[in-house]
């Protein structure tokens, strides 16, 4: 029997830290058997990965963890979101189904075909989505048991210019967008984030992307689980699309570390 290694890493932090830095979209890796179900040729797939990947966000989180006074925990996806997107609802609640980008994408950022009509997403959901969700749920449970609370900080990035798939592309695109949830994002957490990221330029709220990630076991149920999405505009730290990082990474990592220490 072949043992499939986990597609994610839980990187331990300080036992006393309630914070989990969640990095779901930083990787480009696609297993060969998953690649075979994608209709793009290799060059087109690389272009799509340039657009869809939140490049270097794992590096931002790693550096933030290194410089924080109290080391946060990190939960990092090691596979591309083109395998599965662990932050989507796996059912009809997901609004991105409207553009073929539910838990398993069938369309690209430019609305081209990624997987053929009738593609059976079930095996990918079972193999990758559910184990990821279960592990993240357990990570939150461990922080609750250890500290009495858990603070999930989602680390994302987004392009300077809207991509065709975006459902809410008409609003502001500030250097840092803070995504919130009415139940899981208390004012104190939002205030701490605004203060921490002030050094990085303007911070906006829920535009162009809104919401937070909370495991479904706790979603809308446990106020001790708080959450915030940090969306970084890519031109502030890298060459778009899909290019190298620049000196902005250090500034953003320092700001993220300040947020970690502030909560």
């Amino acid at each position: 029997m072949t043992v499939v290694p986990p597609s994610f890493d839980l990187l331990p932090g300080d036992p006393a830290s309630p914070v989990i830095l969640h990095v779901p979209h930083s990787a480009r890796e696609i297993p060969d058997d998953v690649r075979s179900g994608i209709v793009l040729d290799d060059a087109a797939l690389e272009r799509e990965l340039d657009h869809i990947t939140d490049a270097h966000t794992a590096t931002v989180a790693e550096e933030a963890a290194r410089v924080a006074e109290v080391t946060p925990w990190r939960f990092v996806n090691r596979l591309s979101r083109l395998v599965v997107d662990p932050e989507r609802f796996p059912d009809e609640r997901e609004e991105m189904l409207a553009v073929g980008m539910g838990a398993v994408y069938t369309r690209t950022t430019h609305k081209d075909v990624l997987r053929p009509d009738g593609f059976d997403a079930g095996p990918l959901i079972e193999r990758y989505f559910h184990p990821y969700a279960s592990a993240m749920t357990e990570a939150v449970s461990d922080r609750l048991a250890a500290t009495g609370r858990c603070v999930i900080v989602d680390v994302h990035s987004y392009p300077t210019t809207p991509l065709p798939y975006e459902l809410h592309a008409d609003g502001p695109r500030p250097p840092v967008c803070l995504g919130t949830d009415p139940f899981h994002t208390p004012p104190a957490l939002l205030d701490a984030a605004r203060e921490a990221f002030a050094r990085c330029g303007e911070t906006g709220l829920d535009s162009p992307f809104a919401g937070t990630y909370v495991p479904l076991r706790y979603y809308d149920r446990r106020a001790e689980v708080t959450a915030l999405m940090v969306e970084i505009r890519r031109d502030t730290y890298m060459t778009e699309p899909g290019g190298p990082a620049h000196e902005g990474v250090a500034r953003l990592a320092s700001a993220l570390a300040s947020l970690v220490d502030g909560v």
Side-chain angles (χ1 to χ4, degrees):
M1 177 177 169
T2 301
V3 177
V4 178
S7 61
F8 47 82
D9 287 328
L10 176 60
L11 302 165
D14 191 297
S17 175
V19 181
I20 299 175
L21 298 181
H22 182 220
V23 188
H25 295 157
S26 66
R28 296 173 68 102
E29 181 70 23
I30 300 175
D32 289 343
D33 60 332
V34 180
R35 169 68 181 96
S36 66
I38 293 174
V39 303
L40 303 179
D41 63 29
D42 288 346
L45 178 57
E46 287 301 306
R47 288 194 298 272
E48 179 61 15
L49 286 167
D50 286 345
H51 289 297
I52 199 65
T53 304
D54 292 351
H56 314 297
T57 50
T59 301
V60 173
E62 180 181 13
E63 178 63 12
R66 187 185 70 80
V67 301
E69 293 180 8
V70 179
T71 304
W73 296 63
R74 285 179 289 143
F75 196 104
V76 183
N77 190 4
R78 297 304 184 189
L79 295 181
S80 169
R81 63 197 291 192
L82 296 184
V83 179
V84 297
D85 190 331
E87 293 210 313
R88 303 291 199 235
F89 285 113
D91 52 36
E92 67 281 351
R93 288 173 292 177
E94 180 51 60
E95 71 168 356
M96 296 303 292
L97 284 169
V99 288
M101 298 179 101
V104 175
Y105 297 177
T106 59
R107 294 294 183 270
T108 71
T109 52
H110 290 73
K111 299 186 176 182
D112 297 323
V113 175
L114 181 72
R115 291 182 169 97
D117 290 342
F119 181 84
D120 181 7
L124 292 180
I125 295 291
E126 289 300 320
R127 182 177 179 183
Y128 296 109
F129 185 94
H130 289 318
Y132 188 107
S134 294
M136 184 64 182
T137 300
E138 290 309 308
V140 172
S141 299
D142 287 346
R143 292 301 86 217
L144 283 171
T147 72
R149 62 193 181 106
C150 181
V151 184
I152 303 169
V153 179
D154 243 3
V155 185
H156 290 263
S157 71
Y158 71 94
T160 305
T161 302
L163 290 167
Y165 83 95
E166 294 184 25
L167 294 178
H168 309 287
D170 295 334
R173 302 179 82 83
V176 177
C177 162
L178 302 175
T180 66
D181 178 88
F183 185 83
H184 291 284
T185 310
L189 177 56
L190 187 56
D191 289 345
R194 283 174 165 149
E195 181 177 353
F197 285 99
R199 74 192 74 174
C200 301
E202 179 189 358
T203 58
L205 194 65
D206 290 319
S207 176
F209 296 98
T212 64
Y213 174 77
V214 175
L216 291 177
R217 179 189 297 176
Y218 298 113
Y219 184 65
D220 272 350
R221 296 179 182 179
R222 293 285 297 273
E224 308 96 305
V225 178
T226 59
L228 181 76
M229 180 170 65
V230 176
E231 288 270 4
I232 307 161
R233 202 177 65 207
R234 291 176 186 160
D235 66 317
T236 65
Y237 75 94
M238 65 173 285
T239 301
E240 299 179 82
H246 57 63
E247 68 279 356
V249 165
R251 180 174 61 254
L252 288 159
S254 176
L256 183 58
S258 294
L259 173 59
V260 168
D261 290 333
V263 299

